[in-house]
Amino acid sequence: MDHLKLTRILVLLGMVLMLLMPGVSAHRVYVQEQITEVEIKAWFGGGDPMPNADVSVYAIKNGEEELYIEDRTDSNGLFYFTPKLGVSEYRVVVSESGHKSEKTFNLAGGSAAETENAELPLSASVVAGFGYIIGIAGLALYFSSRKSKGQ
Amino acid sequence: MHISDGVLSFSVVAAGWAITLVLSALILWRCKYKYDMAEQIPKISIITGTFFVASLIHISIGPTSVHLLLNGLMGVVLGVFAFPAMLVGLTLQAFLFQHGGITTIGANNVIIGIPALISYWTFRFGYRKGINVAFMGALCGALGILLSGIFLAFILISTGEEFREVAYAALIAHLPVMVIEGIITGSVVSFLLKVRPELLPVDTEV
């Protein structure tokens, strides 16, 4: 009987020690992703890059904008910058003698306000444009014919 | 040559709209009595359609990308109607192709439309002097682009850009466009004079 009791105590002791062990031997570990470079691409409608255009990067923190970097795109219309530590939201403005576009984005992944509208396919735009022109011509012809009838 | 939204200050945008709307209304009002509009409208529509899609033709020579404007051709073929017709074309380009801004349609119409009018008057002057028509057409086609570059630089002064720098850059970039549009305008004009000379507005006083 004593022998059995001793085994029980030893097993219990072992279980308690095993429970305590992880708490003693492990350190807490932190993992966080860090984006070290952001690529900005600027191009004209039709796909040609916008080289040597002015780029202004504004860092947005707690809703307040602050000019972070001002530079120019390279010959391929690309521009790279290192994000400011702790700031994940940026507004980038690219302009080149009269052409200007901007984009607000969040590196943390949350979808920021989209500044670009979804474009119609080009062929659809062309057909739509001709449709408008024919429509306007039709209206104008209607009014001019009504006027000449009235005379 | 198209200026985007957010580049110009409010007063320049407002002035652009004012000039565009007043001049368009004036032209349409005067021409109501001078022309048979039912005859003009099909021609205006065809040229406006050409202008509308011409901006999709990109020419990538050198560092910048430029597209055809055809404002010289528009002026020579449509006469003073080029200005109001351009308002239609530019509006459609802004909404459908995102070429230029929506608030800046007025300013863009001034930049592109006034050179079209000057091209027209230059062409009419040369035609009456009996100068070779193909040559005058080519000259006016290129003149439209040249003047647009200068107008663009003038308007961009208000944003703090250096006039000479912008004008220089725009004109260098548009040199190939000037050559191409000169050829297009010259051949269209000489073709029209052979086939339907009454289509060219050279005998009117507006």
Side-chain angles (χ1 to χ4, degrees):
Chain A
M1 272 301 223
D2 263 1
H3 180 71
L4 198 67
K5 207 172 178 180
L6 193 72
T7 324
R8 262 202 206 153
I9 289 168
L10 278 175
V11 169
L12 203 69
L13 198 70
M15 279 169 76
V16 169
L17 278 175
M18 273 166 76
L19 268 174
L20 286 174
M21 275 231 323
V24 178
S25 69
H27 298 272
R28 190 158 174 202
V29 173
Y30 295 91
V31 176
Q32 199 191 1
E33 81 281 11
Q34 172 71 47
I35 297 166
T36 53
E37 199 175 53
V38 178
E39 184 188 271
I40 300 295
K41 189 181 174 204
W43 69 96
F44 292 107
D48 289 312
M50 246 168 107
N52 210 20
D54 293 316
V55 183
S56 307
V57 180
Y58 297 90
I60 304 174
K61 197 170 188 183
N62 304 326
E64 275 181 41
E65 253 182 36
E66 188 194 332
L67 184 63
Y68 176 40
I69 297 174
E70 267 189 308
D71 209 336
R72 280 170 174 267
T73 54
D74 65 13
S75 55
N76 298 316
L78 298 174
F79 172 69
Y80 302 92
F81 73 94
T82 312
K84 212 173 180 177
L85 205 67
V87 179
S88 59
E89 205 177 343
Y90 295 89
R91 187 166 72 93
V92 177
V93 180
V94 182
S95 61
E96 186 253 341
S97 60
H99 300 94
K100 184 175 178 180
S101 186
E102 64 169 67
K103 182 149 180 76
T104 307
F105 56 90
N106 196 332
L107 298 178
S111 57
E114 276 289 317
T115 47
E116 244 177 304
N117 298 328
E119 276 182 45
L120 272 174
L122 193 59
S123 52
S125 301
V126 172
V127 174
F130 276 113
Y132 278 110
I133 290 169
I134 292 167
I136 292 165
L139 269 179
L141 279 173
Y142 170 73
F143 281 112
S144 66
S145 76
R146 211 173 55 160
K147 205 173 56 193
S148 58
K149 246 185 225 167
Q151 275 167 1
Chain B
M1 296 281 188
H2 295 56
I3 295 181
S4 309
D5 280 324
V7 174
L8 298 175
S9 63
F10 176 76
S11 49
V12 179
V13 168
W17 275 109
I19 295 171
T20 299
L21 293 179
V22 169
L23 200 53
S24 297
L26 212 65
I27 287 169
L28 291 177
W29 177 72
R30 274 199 63 156
C31 292
K32 208 165 69 177
Y33 306 105
K34 294 222 172 219
Y35 289 89
D36 178 11
M37 288 305 278
E39 227 167 58
Q40 294 290 321
I41 288 163
K43 184 179 83 176
I44 297 172
S45 310
I46 292 166
I47 300 292
T48 309
T50 314
F51 170 78
F52 166 67
V53 288
S55 71
L56 292 178
I57 300 172
H58 288 265
I59 300 153
S60 307
I61 300 175
T64 53
S65 157
V66 291
H67 55 76
L68 294 186
L69 267 184
L70 292 185
N71 58 342
L73 175 75
M74 240 180 144
V76 169
V77 180
L78 295 186
V80 286
F81 289 119
F83 197 83
M86 209 159 266
L87 182 59
V88 176
L90 283 172
T91 307
L92 292 173
Q93 283 174 354
F95 278 101
L96 294 171
F97 299 154
Q98 280 82 41
H99 277 190
I102 289 156
T103 56
T104 49
I105 291 169
N108 286 332
N109 207 343
V110 171
I111 292 174
I112 300 169
I114 296 198
L117 295 179
I118 297 172
S119 290
Y120 163 55
W121 288 316
T122 311
F123 180 78
R124 204 178 58 180
F125 177 80
Y127 178 82
R128 288 180 182 171
K129 285 263 176 272
I131 302 170
N132 182 289
V133 177
F135 169 77
M136 274 318 286
L139 183 78
C140 292
L143 186 69
I145 307 290
L146 179 86
L147 292 173
S148 286
I150 294 170
F151 272 60
L152 173 80
F154 255 123
I155 287 203
L156 285 178
I157 293 179
S158 68
T159 65
E161 300 246 18
E162 195 69 41
F163 172 75
R164 279 182 59 180
E165 199 181 308
V166 177
Y168 202 65
L171 293 182
I172 293 286
H174 283 85
L175 268 179
V177 178
M178 280 187 223
V179 174
I180 293 170
E181 296 206 2
I183 295 168
I184 293 175
T185 311
S187 33
V188 167
V189 163
S190 45
F191 175 75
L192 277 182
L193 262 188
K194 253 181 235 151
V195 188
R196 300 279 308 268
E198 69 274 18
L199 278 179
L200 285 178
V202 283
D203 299 320
T204 47
E205 285 303 331
V206 178

